[in-house]
Amino acid sequence: MVKTMSATTVIKNKPSSILDLELKSEKSFTEKMVKPILFFSATFSIIIVFFQIFFFFQQASGAFAEVSLWDFITGTSWRPVEQQTYGAVPLIVGTFVTTLGAMIITVPIGILTAIYIAELAPRKLKKILKFIVELLSGIPSVVYGYFGLIVLTNWIRIIFDRPTGQSWLAGSIILSIMALPTVISVSVNALNAVPVEYKEAALGMGANRWEAISKVILPSAFSGITTAIILGTGRAIGETMAVLMVTGNTTIIPSPITNIFSPVRTITAALGIEIPETAIGGTHYTMLFALVIVLYVIIIVINSIAEFLSNKFNKKRDPKYLRKKKKKKPILSLQKSKIISRLNKKIFYSIFLHIFVFGLLLSWSNIWLALIGTIILFLIIKFYKRIPNKVQEKIAFGLIFSAVLMVFTTLIIVIGFVIIKGIPVISWKFLLSYPRDLGRDGGIFPAIVGSLYLVGGAVLFAVPLGIASGLYLAEYTKPNKFNRLIRMSIDNLNGTPSIVFGLFGFIVFCILTGWGKTLLAGQLTLALMILPTIIRTTEQSILSVPLDIREGSYALGANKWYTVKKIVIPSAIPGIITGTILGMGRAIGETAPIMFTAVVFNLRRLPNSPLSPVMALPYHLFLLSTTVPGGQENAYGTALVLFVLVLILYGMATLFQSKIEKHSEKHFILR
Amino acid sequence: MSIVKSKKISEIYTEKSGKYIKSQPIIGDSPFIIQSKELNLWYDETQALINVSLNIYKNKVTALIGPSGCGKSTLIRCFNRMNDVYDNVDITGEIFYSGLNILGKKIQVTKLRKKIGMIFQKPNPFPMTIYDNVAYGPRIQKINRKCNLDPIVEKSLKKAALWDEVKDRLDDSAISLSGGQQQRLCIARALAIEPDVLLMDEPTSSLDPIATAKIENLINELKKKYTVIIVTHNMQQATRISDYTGFMYLGELIEFDSTEQIFQKPKQDLTKRYIGGRFG
Ligand SMILES: Nc1ncnc2c1ncn2[C@@H]1O[C@H](COP(=O)(O)OP(=O)(O)O)[C@@H](O)[C@H]1O
Ligand SMILES: [Mg+2]
């Protein structure tokens, strides 16, 4: 068709063009200001990322005056105090091995549990499991660390008959629990996104449930699950407090490298332990910021891979893309090439797996045992296909159930520990009095109040900004480069380890301002940390407001802002509140962001201004359990109080969420 | 008639340097309220409307029929510029509303939509009370006082034949109404801002026969005061309620005539086959 017609007007219609037209003519000042204000709020995320990078480089700027970059990267000794050596290898190795160990545990358990939740669980159980996963992600890292320190390391010590249980293994186990929720929830989303027709087609062709899952659903969700694993890895790498409490923190490279009982120190732990002990601006200090940059680079690489994968994943689901793809390639040849590439991959992975297992066994035992083990593995893989389908299904389901059981048991053990040990300590006196004798005696009143202040203030700063950015992204922008930059920044902030926020807050709100540790600095730092959560949930809730009721509003002559104000925001509010509560749940348990910015150990008074320091529950727990001998009892009580606060917040969020779902279901049926 | 209207219509011109910008003089006694001329519309690269020229008679009911996907919705969404919400739309041609080209750049779409109301395929009440739904339009025009709103709400609900069913529960959520009631509420909501034209896109397609009959009766009432353009899948419905009918096929307006003519002696073979049900 010829697109231009003679003697006719050509009008390009764009949604923003309506808005522009109105703004030009009759709109009030506020309406004119809406877009710029929202735009500025959205830009804020970019600014923070920019400043983070800027300040870290600035703080690290003197780093390589005395120590060469080469020594930093390749040096195998990190003894800043005793020998002035700054070799980062032990720390990088520490981070690498603990994370690797964690992922070896988490990936199978997480994926199997995700399969159960997405494909097999009855509806009610699904909800319970989702809540459990949410709760696992909500338990503060100091609580995990505390559990690891008291229970897990003890078990390791006894079971493996070692002088101490504080080790790489303990760190990996704790990290695996902490990465689990990420892996599970992202995988569940990926599995749920597989079109039902695929499954129905497979089942219709006579496949049993496991065949449908393993041959159709899992391959279709492959990139989504990979994203889940990568995000989980990012989570594990960035974790500070829990690792710091259980890994023993010696800066050595495990010897042999597979010695899982060796103590290690991770990059994050080095930052958490050493920053408070250094002189600002000294060599040690600048070297630590060089480490921050290393950590930052690792995290950015990981986030980028995850983003790349999930973009690919979304593109695949985009109907436009599917249509185009179908046209271009005949289905048969596509399948052929896919099968070939899958075959190659399979061979590659299996060779890799054999070598890996062999190496691992070799380092733990002798060459014969290693050979036998590898051959057994080979036989299992070889003959797995020969096992009848029915039996395969049984084995697979057995594994799935045991994975679910393990997740469930883990939660019960951790929570049980916190509750059983904590309850005898709780009393009105404990809740309402001030600590005495370095917290061994007396209560935790100022820590409770301080935590509430910190979280309340964080919400006060983060919510308006988060809502404005989310609104901008959902309503006032189209896909373009700048918009992508905003999104990348938000994703980046979302994946940034909390200790990095802590250091950023420390530089900006404590050093630059000259205030030192203040409540305000802690609130602002926590606000930055929960900002991405609030932006995302706002954007999602706004996008989920159906187009037809917006059109109904436009059809009555409403303009964009009026529609947003009267229809869109009110419908999105429950979702936004849920996001906010989840953000609060996360903020209340965090130690790393407030450790350098806001909290002190012992206070006789409540903070009387935003510029005075505060006490906080997670930090109190951390110090009681690691540095105060005899602080055990009160540590139990503190852990319980912290846990209960988190539980209340997560419970509220879940209730809200189910209310929203119920409401929208009703909405749907009645239409 | 249209001279009387001309004052109201002039409101949709943007006032610029004290002059009304007009793309065409208002036609004297035209019986048409909406005219489209050589209208073409693309979604990205696919053309959804091809050279559609059509005249809509004032205070009559005009039905648009045709197989699904032929562009009926696209066409009526042009009349109140509803396609503006999509950013992949290109339009060429002209649409005159009482002689004024509403595709012109200077048109204030919000004011246009106050004159040309729309009812959608799926009832889309706002998630608020029945009262607030009807008062939504007047409130946009800054009518906020309860003493002014009450009569508007009552009148509109009466016109939409819903008043008796909801007068005791105006503060209930609109979502609690049945589908048919919701659709009449949407009609009341559109009437509350006193439009000239009502665009209805398959307004009964999601309703049961009883609710459908109520809406059809209502349309017969409404045509005394309003111009109604209704898209329908249902040919019996077109014969029951419309004065004029247009048949569309693959983006083109194949035939337009009085409903009687179209259904009894269609001129085009395609129309004949569609009406006879001999269609793929
Ligand atoms: N928003 C849109 N984007 C792209 N194509 C569209 C859009 N809306 C409708 N179409 C396409 O335009 C054609 C006409 O659609 P529509 O006007 O809805 O038909 P009808 O209402 O007669 O069933 C169809 O082929 C449809 O797929
Ligand atoms: Mg349609």
Side-chain angles (χ1 to χ4, degrees), chain B residues 16-258:
Chain B
K16 198 178 181 186
S17 60
K19 276 184 192 165
Y20 292 125
I21 300 143
K22 298 172 191 174
S23 55
Q24 233 190 25
I26 290 165
I27 306 155
D29 275 333
S30 165
F32 307 126
I33 190 160
I34 292 179
Q35 297 171 283
S36 78
K37 293 226 164 95
E38 298 191 336
L39 194 65
N40 287 279
L41 185 145
W42 289 263
Y43 291 111
D44 293 317
E45 300 307 314
T46 44
Q47 189 162 8
L49 293 179
I50 304 164
N51 273 337
V52 175
S53 297
L54 163 87
N55 295 326
I56 304 288
Y57 288 86
K58 192 176 295 177
N59 287 13
K60 300 284 179 197
V61 177
T62 302
L64 292 173
I65 59 170
S68 79
C70 68
K72 306 177 299 285
S73 300
T74 306
L75 179 61
I76 69 162
R77 287 168 65 93
C78 287
F79 296 152
N80 68 344
R81 301 261 308 256
M82 210 47 170
N83 285 320
D84 288 16
V85 301
Y86 301 127
D87 51 5
N88 60 346
V89 173
D90 280 325
I91 303 182
T92 69
E94 290 163 304
I95 298 172
F96 295 102
Y97 168 53
S98 295
L100 163 73
N101 184 3
I102 55 169
L103 296 182
K105 279 210 165 110
K106 304 294 178 195
I107 294 300
Q108 280 191 30
V109 185
T110 50
K111 287 196 172 165
L112 173 70
R113 290 179 185 154
K114 283 166 195 165
K115 292 277 142 212
I116 304 182
M118 186 166 212
I119 314 298
F120 296 81
Q121 191 165 350
K122 250 174 39 186
N124 57 352
F126 303 134
M128 39 175 95
T129 65
I130 295 170
Y131 185 96
D132 287 340
N133 263 277
V134 183
Y136 190 86
R139 279 180 176 143
I140 297 171
Q141 305 181 26
K142 307 259 155 56
I143 301 172
N144 281 318
R145 289 241 198 88
K146 198 164 158 44
C147 60
N148 295 333
L149 280 175
D150 281 348
I152 296 177
V153 170
E154 181 174 342
K155 207 171 91 191
S156 310
L157 284 169
K158 276 182 176 157
K159 276 193 209 160
L162 189 61
W163 175 252
D164 291 332
E165 290 160 62
V166 301
K167 65 177 179 231
D168 302 322
R169 43 189 284 216
L170 290 175
D171 289 332
D172 283 7
S173 167
I175 310 297
S176 66
L177 296 174
S178 73
Q181 288 173 324
Q182 287 187 3
Q183 194 62 301
R184 276 178 284 147
L185 177 66
C186 291
I187 294 175
R189 191 171 75 182
L191 295 178
I193 49 174
E194 301 184 333
D196 294 336
V197 182
L198 280 178
L199 309 173
M200 299 187 168
D201 190 352
E202 304 193 29
T204 58
S205 67
S206 63
L207 304 181
D208 62 58
I210 294 170
T212 301
K214 279 189 182 161
I215 304 258
E216 285 181 8
N217 289 340
L218 178 56
I219 294 171
N220 276 327
E221 270 313 296
L222 290 173
K223 75 174 168 193
K224 292 173 190 155
K225 289 186 72 183
Y226 304 91
T227 306
V228 175
I229 306 174
I230 179 168
V231 170
T232 176
H233 238 92
N234 178 334
M235 280 179 273
Q236 281 78 40
Q237 184 170 62
T239 54
R240 280 197 298 267
I241 57 175
S242 71
D243 305 302
Y244 294 90
T245 296
F247 168 62
M248 293 184 71
Y249 185 64
L250 294 179
E252 286 182 278
L253 181 67
I254 304 294
E255 192 169 350
F256 183 86
D257 216 323
S258 73

Side-chain angles (χ1 to χ4, degrees), chain A residues 582-634:
Chain A
L582 285 177
M584 288 167 78
R586 191 166 158 222
I588 204 166
E590 281 288 354
T591 314
I594 54 176
M595 189 160 64
F596 314 126
T597 55
V599 287
V600 289
F601 183 43
N602 221 337
L603 276 184
R604 279 146 192 266
R605 272 182 288 120
L606 293 180
N608 50 14
S609 90
L611 294 185
S612 40
V614 286
M615 289 181 67
L617 290 169
Y619 189 64
H620 195 68
L621 172 58
F622 172 63
L623 285 188
L624 278 187
S625 54
T626 54
T627 44
V628 180
Q632 213 58 266
E633 284 297 301
N634 277 2

